[in-house]
Amino acid sequence: MKQFDKWDKAFRNQNLYAFNHNADGLLWLKVRAVCRCKQIAQFVSMNNITLTAATIAAKNIELYEKLQKVPNAMQLLDDYLKVKSHDWYTALGVDENRLKEDLYKVQYYAWGGDQNNSLDKYLISKYVKAISDYDKLVSQRESIALNAWKYVQNSWYNNWTSYLIESLFKRHEKVIPAVGEIKSVDFFIADTPIDLKVTFFPQQYMSGRLKDKLGKQELTWLRQKAKEHGIVVSNTHPVSFQLYALSEKLKETEHTDILEELKTKRNEVIAEARANKVELMRWLYANQGEMRFGAENRLFVVLADTSDMNQSWKMKRAFSLIEPQINHYLDGFNDNTLKEIDFTFKNNHYKSLADIIFIVK
C-alpha cells in the first residue's frame, strides 16, 4: 500500500490519532490543506514544483509523493498556509467590526423546531402530517414563519460567532490554518491537527451531575421545594417552561434561597468539570450526535454564565472575555497541553488528543 493510501484510509476510518506525532501523517494532512484547485496551483507555482496529473485528486497524490523527497517540505507548506490564511477572512468580504456589533441585535435565543433543532422534521410532524384541513394549515402561516425565523436567526448567530472565535485562533503566531478546509482539521497548533468546537456547558451533563448532588432530577427537586411554600406549576408543560415558571414564582415570593442553593450546586458541577477536564471531554466525545460523529483531536471552548445558565448563549459574543483567554492559552501551549482521551461510541473504541478552554462568567 502506498503511503498516501495508508493515510487516506486512516483518515476515512476516523483513525485520526495515528496522525499525531507522525511526520508522514502530518505531511499528508498539510498537503490536504492546500488540495483545492486555487491553493494547489498557487503552492506549486510559488515553489517551482511541476505536476503532471490532470485531476485535483491525482495532483494531491502526486504532490504528496514529491514533497516526501523534499527535506524542507513541511516548512514550505507552513509558509504557504500562514500567508494564505488571510483568504479565509477576506473571501466573504466580512466586516468583522460591524459583525461584532450586529451580534448584539440578537435579543433572544430560541430554536425553531423540536428539541433536536431539526426544523424540517418539526414542520412535517406538527403541520404537514398533523393538519389535513388546508384552511387550517393556512391559518398557521405566522406560526410556521416564526419557527423558520427563529431557526435562521439562531443558526446565523452560531455560524458567525463561531467564525469570529475561530479567527482568533487562526491569527495567533503558533497556529497554522488549514486553508483548504480539511474535514476534521480547522488548524494546527505546534504541528498537532485540531478541530475546534465552541459549545455551551452541556445541559445533559449538568443534569446528570445535579441529580447526583440533589438525589433526584433537578425539576423534581425544585417542584418539591416550591410545593413546601404553596407554589405549583402544571406538569403538563415542557420541562423548560416548568423550570422557568417555578423559578419566577420563587423570586416573586422572595424564596430566592432555594434558587441560590440550586445555583451553588450548578457552580459546583462546573468547578468539578474544570478541575477534571478529562471526564467532561470523554463525555463530550461519547455523547456526540451520530450524524456529526468524529474522533479527531479537539479543542473545546466551553461557555458558561454561572449567574444564569440560560443566558450562556450571550457568551459567544463576549469577545472581551474570550480573546484574552484564547491568547493566554495559546501562548502557554506546549507538547503536554493536550490530554489523551479514550472513549467508546457505538461499541467502537477511539483515542484522541483534546483539551478545554473554559470561558466562565
Side-chain angles (χ1 to χ4, degrees):
M1 181 185 291
K2 291 183 178 181
Q3 281 287 309
F4 185 93
D5 294 332
K6 167 190 170 182
W7 294 113
D8 186 63
K9 182 179 179 181
F11 187 82
R12 294 177 186 278
N13 289 340
Q14 287 286 344
N15 183 18
L16 280 301
Y17 189 81
F19 290 84
N20 295 322
H21 314 302
N22 187 295
D24 286 333
L26 183 62
L27 181 69
W28 188 92
L29 285 174
K30 288 186 178 179
V31 168
R32 284 290 300 270
V34 300
C35 71
R36 293 194 176 188
C37 184
K38 176 183 176 182
Q39 284 91 23
I40 202 168
Q42 289 175 333
F43 178 78
V44 298
S45 176
M46 288 172 57
N47 293 287
N48 298 314
I49 298 172
T50 301
L51 300 179
T52 59
T55 66
I56 291 297
K59 286 180 179 180
N60 196 16
I61 297 171
E62 185 180 359
L63 179 59
Y64 175 75
E65 291 176 346
K66 285 196 171 187
L67 288 178
Q68 281 186 304
K69 302 171 185 177
V70 177
N72 64 335
M74 204 76 77
Q75 188 61 54
L76 295 178
L77 287 162
D78 288 353
D79 290 344
Y80 175 82
L81 290 169
K82 282 205 167 189
V83 171
K84 293 303 170 184
S85 66
H86 301 298
D87 289 353
W88 192 74
Y89 311 105
T90 60
L92 295 175
V94 177
D95 183 335
E96 292 194 9
N97 290 328
R98 179 176 177 177
L99 175 57
K100 287 178 180 178
E101 290 296 317
D102 282 352
L103 290 169
Y104 283 90
K105 295 177 181 178
V106 178
Q107 298 180 22
Y108 63 89
Y109 192 85
W111 282 103
D114 59 17
Q115 66 272 18
N116 297 316
N117 302 332
S118 176
L119 181 62
D120 56 343
K121 291 181 180 179
Y122 175 82
L123 294 177
I124 289 171
S125 64
K126 185 173 177 62
Y127 300 103
V128 176
K129 292 187 176 181
I131 300 174
S132 60
D133 185 319
Y134 182 74
D135 291 334
K136 184 177 180 181
L137 179 66
V138 170
S139 72
Q140 298 297 310
R141 283 183 298 187
E142 289 187 9
S143 175
I144 294 169
L146 179 59
N147 270 286
W149 168 246
K150 287 179 179 179
Y151 184 86
V152 168
Q153 178 177 255
N154 272 28
S155 297
W156 178 88
Y157 180 86
N158 284 340
N159 176 73
W160 290 108
T161 49
S162 294
Y163 170 93
L164 290 169
I165 292 170
E166 186 174 337
S167 74
L168 296 176
F169 284 91
K170 289 187 172 181
R171 287 194 175 97
H172 195 277
E173 60 182 9
K174 285 189 179 180
V175 174
I176 297 174
V179 176
E181 298 183 359
I182 317 167
K183 184 181 183 297
S184 305
V185 181
D186 291 316
F187 45 75
F188 302 86
I189 310 177
D191 277 341
T192 302
I194 298 290
D195 181 55
L196 180 66
K197 295 296 183 188
V198 181
T199 185
F200 307 122
F201 195 92
Q203 181 56 47
Q204 188 180 349
Y205 181 89
M206 173 66 78
S207 296
R209 298 305 179 273
L210 277 179
K211 183 179 180 181
D212 294 339
K213 290 180 175 294
L214 300 173
K216 56 195 70 176
Q217 294 287 353
E218 176 185 2
L219 178 57
T220 303
W221 182 88
L222 193 59
R223 287 180 66 88
Q224 290 179 353
K225 290 288 185 179
K227 190 175 181 180
E228 293 173 5
H229 300 282
I231 298 171
V232 294
V233 171
S234 173
N235 59 10
T236 60
H237 296 298
V239 171
S240 58
F241 176 85
Q242 292 183 60
L243 288 169
Y244 173 77
L246 288 168
S247 297
E248 289 301 302
K249 289 186 177 185
L250 286 167
K251 291 176 187 176
E252 291 168 3
T253 55
E254 298 185 353
H255 294 297
T256 55
D257 57 312
I258 296 172
L259 299 177
E260 285 298 317
E261 183 179 354
L262 188 56
K263 177 182 172 182
T264 297
K265 296 299 183 185
R266 288 198 187 104
N267 288 343
E268 286 176 7
V269 173
I270 294 174
E272 289 165 4
R274 297 179 76 175
N276 183 12
K277 293 192 288 186
V278 170
E279 180 185 348
L280 178 56
M281 287 187 284
R282 186 177 291 117
W283 187 94
L284 287 166
Y285 272 111
N287 288 273
Q288 301 175 68
E290 189 169 0
M291 295 295 291
R292 296 183 179 182
F293 172 77
E296 60 274 1
N297 301 331
R298 286 185 175 174
L299 181 53
F300 298 96
V301 175
V302 175
L303 308 162
D305 183 343
T306 59
S307 62
D308 185 350
M309 294 294 288
N310 292 325
Q311 298 301 309
S312 292
W313 66 272
K314 296 178 181 178
M315 297 285 290
K316 288 193 77 175
R317 63 190 179 196
F319 295 104
S320 60
L321 295 176
I322 295 170
E323 184 168 4
Q325 293 201 46
I326 287 176
N327 287 332
H328 176 74
Y329 177 85
L330 292 172
D331 289 342
F333 190 95
N334 58 51
D335 292 341
N336 300 315
T337 297
L338 298 176
K339 310 297 185 293
E340 191 171 287
I341 308 298
D342 292 283
F343 69 98
T344 300
F345 188 88
K346 298 294 181 180
N347 296 320
N348 292 316
H349 183 73
Y350 300 92
K351 186 184 292 186
S352 302
L353 296 177
D355 200 9
I356 298 178
I357 301 175
F358 285 94
I359 311 291
V360 179
K361 178 182 174 184

